[in-house]
Amino acid sequence: MTRKILLNRRQILQLGLGGLTGIGTLALGQAKCLSKQLEKLDNPNRKFTVIGQASLKQRAAAKGLFYGAAVRINPLFQDKKFRANFIQECGALVPEWDLKWTSLRPDISSFNFTYADRLAKFTQSNGMLLRGHTLVWHESLPTWFQKEVNSANVAKILQQHIKTVVGRYARQVHSWDVVNEAIDIKSGRADNLRNTPWLQLMGPDYIEFAFRTAAQADPHALLVYNEYGLDYDSRDDEAKRVAVLKLLKDLKWRGTPIHALGIQAHLNGASTLFNSQKFRSFLGNVASLGLKILITELDVLDKNLPEDTTKRDQIVAAVYEDYLSAVLQEKAVIGVLTWGLSDRYTWLAEDNSSGKLLPLPFSLRPLPLDVNGNRKLAWNAIARAFDSAPRR
Ligand code: G3I
């Protein structure tokens, strides 16, 4: 008899099962089928040879692309070696935390830009693009939000937030994730909108409202809709791709100032469900709306892979190269960011409510650099994908 476990989104992402099974539940018995899939992924003869020592940002720039990563304030300013690696490899920076409501908004009438300003200054002094993440999301809302925001004042509060935050960094931010993760194919709604506080308080028009407000605050920034769970040839990901395309078409039809789709790309090393042809046709459909595409939060979870790190690195690198080689063929794709640069600071190893490390069977290796900042096969795979990408 198999026990059913209900997992939330973050647990699914962190367990790496979003690309393996239907989102939401996992019968314990299904876990055993993982090993059959792994046999297909593990090809020890696959080489990831890279020519030269150029960094990821240099290889991306050579093709008219950019590469960067998400970062938190403490590792960047307290870990000297990590900071040097970040400057060497990254041409773009996205704050993992410091531009979110909880970090910026101690209370309904004030803003705290201390950390965001420090990161903005860092990008300026190091010639990096700065990404803004994120203006409207249903997570990381401060505790006062629920108590003090209602349908009468929500528009004013959202407008004030966007105008103040986007206005402060006008002409500095390359692109804003204006709205993040607004689609939920299990919401039961015809428009598949997620039942968030924003939808409850403002109705579906909150999305267009946010984009129009951001465009007024900084007409130079690229305005992005950011989403996860779009990558695999699974029933749920296919349904989400259809729903996201419908949302984008509707926004464009209304003349909304939306310029790009952000694809988070939190991939699962143990999934064999990536279908490059199907995914490229989705990218082509997005591009045909006149939208650019950014890969905004790329990482490859290796939690369900063999403990042996050589095997794990080999499989993770194959996933990176197969995914990016397909994606970078689409010229509407303008940049790639990984969600972290070094395994030492991956969100996948942490319980994000407490910030404490998760009790994992082994330390995870999802990112381009290892815990000591050494380049891994994953780094080679990304480098090779940039080297073989068509020039923009
Ligand atoms: O900085 C505070 C610290 O002062 C406090 O003591 C501690 C304990 O409460 O929390 C610390 O803040 C944590 C923050 O990360 C910085 O480390 C928050 O609790 C924690 O919730 C937050 O988690 C972030 C999570 O989004 C929620 O905002 C993760 O680092 C970040 O990787 C994750 O990123 C999301 C993207 O924004 C959207 N796409 C999915 C992705 C992964 O979930």
Side-chain angles (χ1 to χ4, degrees):
M1 202 277 268
T2 51
R3 227 166 10 101
K4 284 220 176 279
I5 312 169
L6 274 174
L7 301 171
N8 68 29
R9 176 180 77 82
R10 187 184 310 290
Q11 285 164 328
I12 284 181
L13 278 173
Q14 288 182 315
L15 283 170
L17 301 176
L20 286 183
T21 61
I23 294 272
T25 63
L26 165 70
L28 274 180
Q30 285 171 299
K32 291 198 178 45
C33 81
L34 293 184
S35 52
K36 284 203 205 77
Q37 286 172 339
L38 291 186
E39 277 148 34
K40 279 190 236 164
L41 285 162
D42 182 10
N43 168 9
N45 305 319
R46 184 166 172 174
K47 299 288 168 245
F48 295 94
T49 317
V50 169
I51 297 149
Q53 282 300 317
S55 65
L56 293 180
K57 72 175 175 186
Q58 290 167 325
R59 292 171 196 267
K63 296 301 176 72
L65 290 154
F66 65 82
Y67 166 75
V71 78
R72 285 177 232 162
I73 205 100
N74 289 348
L76 190 68
F77 292 109
Q78 290 173 13
D79 183 336
K80 241 171 98 194
K81 180 151 180 20
F82 173 73
R83 185 168 61 250
N85 285 332
F86 196 92
I87 291 168
Q88 179 187 27
E89 299 291 355
C90 296
L93 178 151
V94 58
E96 195 167 343
W97 171 249
D98 302 288
L99 278 173
K100 289 174 179 172
W101 275 70
T102 309
S103 179
L104 289 175
R105 306 297 306 274
D107 56 56
I108 196 165
S109 48
S110 59
F111 294 79
N112 174 7
F113 288 111
T114 313
Y115 303 112
D117 283 354
R118 214 171 157 202
L119 289 172
K121 192 160 168 290
F122 177 82
T123 58
Q124 275 182 322
S125 25
N126 289 287
M128 291 174 186
L129 300 177
L130 174 61
R131 291 215 69 237
H133 175 83
T134 176
L135 297 170
V136 181
W137 191 25
H138 56 283
E139 292 194 22
S140 296
L141 289 171
T143 44
W144 57 260
F145 189 93
Q146 200 177 11
K147 293 176 214 136
E148 303 197 45
V149 181
N150 54 54
S151 48
N153 66 7
V154 62
K156 186 167 122 305
I157 288 165
L158 179 55
Q159 186 178 53
Q160 181 204 28
H161 181 83
I162 294 175
K163 281 172 81 167
T164 309
V165 177
V166 176
R168 183 183 187 88
Y169 301 109
R171 290 179 176 272
Q172 285 184 71
V173 165
H174 165 268
S175 51
W176 274 104
D177 290 338
V178 176
V179 174
N180 190 42
E181 303 176 9
I183 292 289
D184 171 10
I185 53 169
K186 304 236 180 340
S187 70
R189 291 174 55 97
D191 57 14
N192 290 294
L193 287 182
R194 184 183 298 277
N195 188 26
T196 69
W198 302 106
L199 182 75
Q200 289 157 23
L201 293 170
M202 284 182 82
D205 290 350
Y206 81 89
I207 298 175
E208 182 179 354
F209 178 85
F211 276 94
R212 289 190 184 280
T213 308
Q216 280 165 359
D218 183 1
H220 302 276
L222 212 62
L223 303 181
V224 182
Y225 172 71
N226 196 46
E227 189 57 85
Y228 74 94
L230 300 170
D231 314 289
Y232 290 110
D233 187 11
S234 67
R235 176 180 42 79
D236 288 348
D237 283 20
E238 176 57 25
K240 200 164 194 179
R241 287 190 290 268
V242 170
V244 165
L245 263 182
K246 193 170 165 300
L247 172 67
L248 296 174
K249 277 180 190 156
D250 180 50
L251 289 168
K252 289 294 283 183
W253 181 78
R254 295 155 174 256
T256 310
I258 176 170
H259 311 121
L261 170 65
I263 298 175
Q264 292 185 14
H266 289 292
L267 304 180
N268 169 42
S271 173
T272 54
L273 293 178
F274 180 63
N275 178 320
S276 57
Q277 256 172 315
K278 281 197 177 176
F279 196 57
R280 282 201 54 199
S281 108
F282 168 66
L283 299 178
N285 291 337
V286 173
S288 65
L289 295 175
L291 295 172
K292 296 293 182 198
I293 299 165
L294 293 93
I295 304 300
T296 52
E297 308 186 12
L298 179 60
D299 50 20
V300 178
L301 181 71
D302 58 330
K303 179 174 184 335
N304 300 303
L305 295 180
E307 181 140 5
D308 172 276
T309 48
T310 312
K311 263 182 188 286
R312 247 184 311 142
D313 283 1
Q314 184 82 19
I315 293 171
V316 165
V319 171
Y320 269 115
E321 185 166 356
D322 292 350
Y323 186 83
L324 283 180
S325 309
V327 162
L328 294 175
Q329 288 302 314
E330 172 51 65
K331 291 202 171 177
V333 176
I334 59 170
V336 175
L337 300 105
T338 46
W339 203 245
L341 177 65
S342 155
D343 295 340
R344 181 180 292 276
Y345 302 114
T346 172
W347 73 283
L348 289 166
E350 287 171 8
D351 168 358
N352 289 314
S353 48
S354 65
K356 292 200 174 55
L357 286 173
L358 292 167
L360 292 163
F362 43 68
S363 52
L364 299 179
R365 297 169 65 88
L367 290 167
L369 305 185
D370 72 11
V371 287
N372 300 315
N374 303 309
R375 291 170 171 177
K376 292 157 47 191
L377 283 186
W379 183 95
N380 290 38
I382 298 170
R384 286 164 55 89
F386 284 137
D387 291 350
S388 57
R391 184 161 185 30
R392 267 69 182 151

